[in-house]
């Protein structure tokens, strides 16, 4: 039960982290952690299952009620978003039409220049991102290489410890090993087990080594220990081979990814050069602006900005709704787990 409660606590903490990422005012004083503590206390106190279910049902009702309210708010937000975006879209289209009528040449040159400049900005952003990814790939490969080298030392030390243990087993079979040597070798194998994260594989040989001094048939016990150690050595060697193969594959993948990013970087540099030349040509075309064209341009820019802002705000509504809804869904999952835990404990107590 303690393990189950611990797992639920981990899930609850993860859920809390997600909600903090998108802070909102929903939730009130409801706390899944408090519910978990309350249910655990009631289970320990052998409270009736119906009582525990009542606590959980109240919690689920609160979540459902809150979700219903949020659904209504989200629906209203969506309606407002659609109305605002439609209005700003219409304003942008009207300004574009006015600008085209007022001065077609000016409009065409200005729009092309803005698009070109925007594309240059996007291209520079992408170039920065590509450069960042190349740096990250190099850093990641460096870290992986260091990790691989550390792993090589770890596996090599483990194999050496096993070989030393095999020598000790041979000495034990001849009655030429002391308790101190057995203790020292046990410590080495335990360290190797932890370092390689292969505790399960080391468990049986360690147990045999720990009990070998208590065996009546020392020679037979030493022979069995040697067999176990030889099997362990094979397992460690296979793990090392697998680790090496994974590193080789990772290196190939790193190289492939880096080559792709370098090729993209080259293409983007060439594209930026062409876009810069195009922008300079368009700036040469634009020499005179009329009051109507300027007003239409300003109107278009203003409403485009408001349109973008509205789109961003509406997106934040979507993100908030999905995040909080997911949080409530996770709360209900935790409640179900608590209910199953309570039912299982109630069955055990009958």
């Amino acid at each position: 039960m303690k393990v189950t409660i611990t797992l639920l606590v981990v899930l609850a903490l993860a859920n809390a982290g997600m909600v903090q990422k998108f802070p909102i005012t929903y939730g009130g004083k409801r706390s899944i952690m408090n519910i978990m503590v309350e249910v655990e206390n009631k289970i320990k106190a052998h409270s009736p299952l119906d009582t525990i279910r009542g606590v959980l049902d109240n919690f689920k009702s609160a979540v459902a009620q809150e979700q219903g309210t949020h659904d209504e708010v989200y629906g209203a937000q969506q309606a407002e978003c659609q109305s605002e975006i439609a209005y700003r879209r219409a304003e942008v289209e009207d300004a574009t039409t006015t600008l085209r009528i007022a001065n077609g040449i000016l409009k065409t040159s200005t729009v092309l220049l803005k698009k070109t400049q925007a594309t240059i900005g996007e291209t520079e952003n992408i170039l920065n991102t590509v450069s960042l990814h190349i740096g990250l790939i190099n850093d990641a490969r460096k870290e992986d290489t260091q990790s691989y080298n550390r792993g090589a030392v770890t596996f090599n030390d483990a194999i050496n410890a096993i070989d030393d243990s095999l020598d000790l087993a041979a000495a034990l079979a001849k009655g030429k090993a002391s308790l101190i040597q057995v203790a020292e070798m046990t410590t080495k194998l335990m360290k190797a087990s932890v370092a390689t994260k292969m505790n399960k594989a080391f468990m049986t040989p360690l147990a045999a080594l720990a009990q070998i001094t208590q065996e009546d048939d020392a020679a037979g016990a030493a022979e069995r220990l040697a067999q176990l150690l030889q099997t362990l050595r094979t397992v460690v060697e296979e793990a090392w081979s697998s680790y090496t193969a994974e590193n080789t594959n990772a290196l190939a993948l790193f190289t492939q990814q880096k080559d792709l990013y370098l090729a993209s970087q080259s293409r983007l540099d060439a594209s930026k050069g062409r876009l810069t030349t195009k922008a300079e040509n368009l700036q040469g075309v634009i020499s005179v602006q009329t009051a109507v064209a300027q007003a239409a341009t300003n109107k278009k820019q203003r409403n485009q900005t408001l349109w973008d802002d509205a789109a961003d705000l509406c997106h934040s509504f979507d993100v908030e709704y999905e995040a909080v809804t997911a949080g409530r869904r996770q709360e209900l999952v935790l409640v179900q787990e608590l209910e199953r835990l309570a039912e299982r404990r109630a069955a055990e107590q009958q």
Side-chain angles (χ1 to χ4, degrees), residues 241-254:
S241 298
S242 176
Y243 184 67
T244 301
E246 290 176 359
N247 181 75
T248 301
N249 293 336
L251 176 59
L253 181 59
F254 274 119

Side-chain angles (χ1 to χ4, degrees), residues 203-235:
M203 186 180 301
T204 302
L206 277 170
L209 182 59
Q211 297 177 2
I212 195 166
T213 57
Q214 303 174 11
E215 297 287 345
D216 294 332
D217 182 7
E223 182 179 353
R224 289 192 297 273
L225 175 60
Q227 292 174 352
L228 291 172
L229 289 170
Q230 191 60 53
T231 299
L232 175 61
R233 194 181 197 283
T234 301
V235 172

Side-chain angles (χ1 to χ4, degrees), residues 148 151-153 155-156 159 235-245:
Y148 174 80
V153 173
F155 278 104
N156 186 65
I159 290 174
V235 172
V236 172
E237 287 177 340
E238 290 175 352
W240 168 236
S241 298
S242 176
Y243 184 67
T244 301

Side-chain angles (χ1 to χ4, degrees), residues 129-174:
T129 301
V130 169
S131 298
L132 177 62
H133 278 294
I134 291 174
L136 291 174
I137 289 173
N138 290 332
D139 292 342
R141 182 54 200 163
K142 180 179 179 180
E143 176 61 27
D144 277 5
T145 299
Q146 294 174 348
S147 177
Y148 174 80
N149 291 336
R150 290 192 297 268
V153 173
T154 297
F155 278 104
N156 186 65
D157 289 345
I159 290 174
N160 288 337
I162 295 171
D163 288 341
D164 291 343
S165 298
L166 284 167
D167 292 339
L168 178 62
L172 286 169
K174 299 176 182 179

Side-chain angles (χ1 to χ4, degrees), residues 5 103 111 122 266 336:
I5 289 295
N103 193 332
V111 170
E122 293 172 357
S266 178
Q336 291 175 354

Side-chain angles (χ1 to χ4, degrees), residues 172-193:
L172 286 169
K174 299 176 182 179
K176 295 181 179 181
S178 66
L179 291 176
I180 294 177
Q181 290 177 303
V182 172
E184 291 176 348
M185 193 53 59
T186 299
T187 300
K188 285 185 179 181
L189 287 178
M190 290 179 66
K191 289 181 179 179
S193 172

